Amino acid sequence: MSTGAWLETHDPGERVFLSIGDLVLESGEVLPDVVIAYQSWGKINATQDNVILINHALTGFPDVPGWWPSMVGPGLPFDTDKYLVVCPNVIGGCQGSTGPSSLAPDGKRWGSRFPAINIRDMVAAEVAFTNAMGIKKYKLAVGPSLGGMRALEWAIQHPDRVGAICTIGSSAVATGDQIGTASIQIRAIKTDPHFNNGDYYEQEKGPEEGMGIARRIAHLTYRTEAEMDIRFGRQLQGDDTGRYAVESYLDHQAEKLWKRFDANTYIALTEAMNSHDVGRDRGGVAAALSTIKIPVIAVGIDTDRLFPVRLQAEIAELAPVAEPMVTITSPFGHDGFLVEVESVGEVIRQALKLSK
């Protein structure tokens, strides 16, 4: 297998597909015939003011209950008895929306021809999706990590289309440390002998080893040193490989991602995150955040070494109507937003109350 992407020959499952037409990117390039895959839960009300937008993270996908357990459903933080909850797959993604593994107009997969995209392009696609859905305004836009970056852009660019935002383990600008770590992951994929400059879809084998290395590196940044030491220490796995237990764990994470993700998407979305800067062409981060006029809740995780809490504190301090930063205590680092669902859920309920 050359990719773990969802392809048009696969069972769509619960995905719904919506065409948004051509998308003009910030670069000036035009991405033609863009399709957005999404899932939704609940119903829109008569006044159409109960819609929530969930922006997924780097390796997330539209099936929110599949990656964010105990968050979507009747009586849960995203209460489907009260709200219509929508989660589109980001452009450049690999779970149904137009991305490198999609078919281009010539009938071949985009592969290396897929244009570079950034966070603002992703939001432009989400706005077009929103218009095509007939949604006038979201009650809340919420997202972790990459999703939080997009939520911030919604607040800056489209304050009339969203009542409040909640960013979780995210930032207003990519840091040197994040870019450095991410660039190594990208290089690992590109130097895999099966990468073929991104045109590997017709091959029997894709860049599995390279993406596996990238995932192993990334996963360590998602968790904490303490967890790795307490959970695994120097234990051997106890099989005939001679691996340490932590190696086996990382091997498993790499294998899982390979089966459901695409290497070109990993690169495209990672490069978009590296380019993230709300202050670009807006006079800097402080000036950009000062223009936000809707409620903001910035959530940090005390052990997050990828998005340290100072990055969320910056958002809370510089956005004029932001609430005080919320810090969640977790031993699980950046992935704490996936695990500490009770604490995160309480913040979501608070954000929904603040929505204008």
Side-chain angles (χ1 to χ4, degrees):
M1 129 176 164
S2 62
T3 179
W6 180 88
L7 303 177
E8 66 285 345
T9 55
H10 297 166
D11 182 352
E14 300 299 316
R15 294 173 183 82
V16 181
F17 301 92
L18 185 65
S19 176
I20 62 169
D22 296 352
L23 182 70
V24 181
L25 305 177
E26 267 205 331
S27 65
E29 289 192 66
V30 176
L31 193 58
D33 303 323
V34 174
V35 172
I36 300 295
Y38 72 97
Q39 287 184 230
S40 64
W41 303 263
K43 294 181 180 179
I44 197 165
N45 61 11
T47 51
Q48 299 189 352
D49 61 358
N50 70 329
V51 189
I52 296 171
L53 173 66
I54 297 181
N55 303 106
H56 66 72
L58 170 64
T59 61
F61 43 94
D63 183 16
V64 180
W67 56 266
W68 214 357
S70 304
M71 292 294 288
V72 179
L76 296 176
F78 297 112
D79 189 343
T80 51
D81 286 339
K82 296 180 180 178
Y83 305 109
L84 169 62
V85 182
V86 180
C87 183
N89 185 214
V90 72
I91 58 160
C94 60
Q95 289 299 319
S97 290
T98 299
S101 58
S102 304
L103 294 175
D106 63 2
K108 298 178 181 178
R109 304 209 180 275
W110 277 100
S112 63
R113 301 174 298 161
F114 193 79
I117 54 173
N118 61 32
I119 303 299
R120 298 180 194 181
D121 294 326
M122 295 174 184
V123 171
E126 289 170 354
V127 171
F129 162 81
T130 301
N131 294 340
M133 288 280 287
I135 297 169
K136 295 187 175 75
K137 183 176 181 178
Y138 291 108
K139 186 172 183 66
L140 177 70
V142 56
S145 199
L146 167 62
M149 296 175 179
R150 305 206 303 283
L152 269 178
E153 283 290 341
W154 269 93
I156 293 168
Q157 292 187 54
H158 307 286
D160 57 327
R161 304 295 299 273
V162 61
I165 68 164
C166 178
T167 73
I168 307 168
S170 193
S171 67
V173 62
T175 69
D177 182 67
Q178 292 167 346
I179 294 168
T181 304
S183 68
I184 299 168
Q185 296 170 44
I186 292 169
R187 183 170 293 192
I189 296 172
K190 288 186 173 182
T191 54
D192 186 300
H194 299 286
F195 181 63
N196 193 29
N197 196 37
D199 296 316
Y200 49 78
Y201 297 108
E202 303 307 316
Q203 299 172 181
E204 256 185 60
K205 187 173 175 61
E208 180 175 2
E209 183 63 21
M211 196 168 88
I213 292 169
R215 181 60 165 181
R216 290 171 178 89
I217 294 166
H219 198 77
L220 286 174
T221 70
Y222 300 157
R223 312 297 281 215
T224 66
E225 180 274 333
E227 183 200 1
M228 293 298 100
D229 195 46
I230 293 168
R231 188 171 172 184
F232 301 110
R234 294 181 49 79
Q235 276 183 290
L236 292 172
Q237 181 60 18
D239 57 18
D240 58 5
T241 65
R243 293 176 296 175
Y244 286 103
V246 70
E247 284 184 274
S248 176
Y249 169 72
L250 294 172
D251 289 347
H252 175 64
Q253 298 301 324
E255 183 181 350
K256 275 202 311 181
L257 187 68
W258 175 252
K259 290 178 178 178
R260 67 169 183 84
F261 214 70
D262 178 62
N264 278 327
T265 283
Y266 196 104
I267 292 171
L269 302 192
T270 299
E271 288 181 336
M273 292 178 73
N274 283 352
S275 73
H276 172 58
D277 178 3
V278 298
R280 176 173 57 81
D281 299 329
R282 294 172 178 153
V285 169
L289 292 177
S290 73
T291 66
I292 297 178
K293 305 303 181 189
I294 61 172
V296 175
I297 294 186
V299 182
I301 300 156
D302 63 350
T303 54
D304 191 340
R305 54 183 171 181
L306 183 60
F307 286 84
V309 292
R310 67 177 177 81
L311 300 178
Q312 295 86 51
E314 179 179 53
I315 297 169
E317 289 165 11
L318 296 177
V321 288
E323 294 291 295
M325 186 187 77
V326 176
T327 303
I328 290 173
T329 300
S330 174
F332 300 109
H334 187 61
D335 274 357
F337 77 85
L338 297 170
V339 182
E340 311 298 344
V341 290
E342 190 172 324
S343 298
V344 174
E346 189 53 44
V347 177
I348 298 301
R349 291 186 174 97
Q350 181 186 350
L352 285 165
K353 289 177 184 175
L354 291 171
S355 177
K356 291 183 176 181

